[in-house]
Amino acid sequence: MPFVTTDDGTQIFYKDWGGGGSPVLLSHGWPLNADAWEATALFLAMNGHRAIAHDRRGHGRSSQTWDGNEMDTYADDLACLIDHLDLTDLTLVGHSTGGGEVVRYLARHGTARVSRAVLVGAVPPLMVRADDNPGGLPLEVFDGIRAGEASNRSQLYRDLADGPFFGNNRAGDVPQGTRDAFWLQGLASGTRNAYECIAAFSATDFRGDLPGIDVPVLVIHGDDDQIVPIDISGRLTAALVPDGTLVVYEGRPHGLPDTDRDRLHADLLAFIDS
């Protein structure tokens, strides 16, 4: 299996599919891994692009490091992979936590290798409530997720998959296999890594990162996202980036790469090829 080794010795697993078309790098959400993007990677590769997806440190097949479970290191790991593969004219796509990873990469490493970015149900600008972010979610929400991670992570992942992540608590129509895949990927993460990543996705402040992004950014968000509500995330992000376009999936949930796969694939391909 392909791995790249970071400066601190962490092994980052990645998939690299497709031929000689322009590359697309897909960053996954918490507590998942590259398998969450498998259908999208296959679609892009079959439509002429090179599709790359990695397991964030502490997730999936990558090293379960004790340290580095925060956005700066995630972004530096991403830079290591991009440099290792010598990617240029790159499209970065991030879902949920992966969207934060993409934004922090652009802030720390610039856009010399990047032509465009897509943020899908992504966590920027800042999820947690603060004095200067009164619309954010209360800290108690994330403390509850941490408590579930510490006490019975298997049940936490089951509850998220069966409930709000895919919007199954609304209509009860999400296939069992889709929900099982979330649970299985979650349990493949390291427990410390997943625990600390909760702070990374909820409390990292990207408000200073977004205005400096100098490539086109497509922001895709469901307006019934119960995990990362659109009014504290997608709408604000699209307003903060200089060249941002917001596409709202009306009535749709957080797990768009699974629940709205065909529409998302069409929107991604149109943006990448534009």
Side-chain angles (χ1 to χ4, degrees), residues 134-155:
L137 297 176
L139 178 63
E140 290 77 17
V141 170
F142 306 106
D143 285 344
I145 301 172
R146 274 184 280 266
E149 179 70 36
S151 63
N152 189 339
R153 64 198 304 252
S154 178
Q155 189 61 52

Side-chain angles (χ1 to χ4, degrees), residues 10-267:
T10 300
Q11 295 279 299
I12 301 294
F13 169 83
Y14 65 94
K15 303 178 182 184
D16 188 353
W17 295 354
S22 64
V24 184
L25 200 159
L26 303 149
S27 292
H28 62 81
W30 174 92
L32 307 174
N33 57 56
D35 294 351
W37 279 120
E38 213 162 44
T40 304
L42 180 63
F43 171 82
L44 292 170
M46 292 179 67
N47 281 273
H49 291 280
R50 181 181 178 186
I52 303 111
H54 70 298
D55 292 355
R56 185 172 300 116
R57 69 166 56 210
H59 296 69
R61 290 138 293 204
S62 293
S63 301
Q64 294 187 5
T65 56
W66 188 254
D67 297 313
N69 304 302
E70 34 73 26
M71 281 292 171
D72 285 355
T73 303
Y74 296 160
D76 293 348
D77 291 346
L78 194 63
C80 180
L81 175 60
I82 291 169
D83 291 347
H84 172 72
L85 297 176
D86 194 23
L87 301 176
T88 57
D89 188 26
L90 175 62
T91 301
L92 290 174
V93 182
H95 175 237
S96 195
T97 301
E101 185 177 79
V102 165
V103 168
R104 185 51 53 92
Y105 168 86
L106 294 171
R108 286 175 69 83
H109 299 277
T111 56
R113 293 181 175 272
V114 179
S115 296
R116 62 196 69 79
V118 184
L119 305 176
V120 182
V123 298
L126 174 61
M127 287 195 69
V128 72
R129 183 178 297 167
D131 290 343
D132 62 349
N133 190 44
L137 297 176
L139 178 63
E140 290 77 17
V141 170
F142 306 106
D143 285 344
I145 301 172
R146 274 184 280 266
E149 179 70 36
S151 63
N152 189 339
R153 64 198 304 252
S154 178
Q155 189 61 52
L156 171 67
Y157 302 152
R158 175 58 66 201
D159 291 344
L160 288 170
D162 290 345
F165 191 91
F166 300 111
N168 193 58
N169 56 329
R170 302 294 203 213
D173 60 354
V174 180
Q176 186 69 51
T178 300
R179 291 178 277 141
D180 287 349
F182 179 99
W183 174 81
L184 185 65
Q185 289 178 49
L187 289 179
S189 66
T191 184
R192 174 178 167 89
N193 309 102
Y195 184 94
E196 292 200 332
C197 188
I198 297 164
F201 73 66
S202 65
T204 302
D205 190 344
F206 301 97
R207 290 175 293 183
D209 299 344
L210 293 165
I213 297 176
D214 59 359
V215 295
V217 179
L218 177 63
V219 180
I220 297 175
H221 219 107
D223 68 2
D224 193 30
D225 189 327
Q226 302 169 70
I227 303 295
V228 184
I230 189 173
D231 288 336
I232 68 168
S233 53
R235 296 193 195 281
L236 297 177
T237 291
L240 284 170
V241 294
D243 187 3
T245 300
L246 175 64
V247 176
V248 178
Y249 285 20
E250 294 184 0
R252 304 310 297 154
H254 186 63
L256 298 178
D258 287 296
T259 61
D260 294 74
R261 183 176 294 172
D262 291 344
R263 181 180 179 185
L264 179 62
H265 290 178
D267 286 344

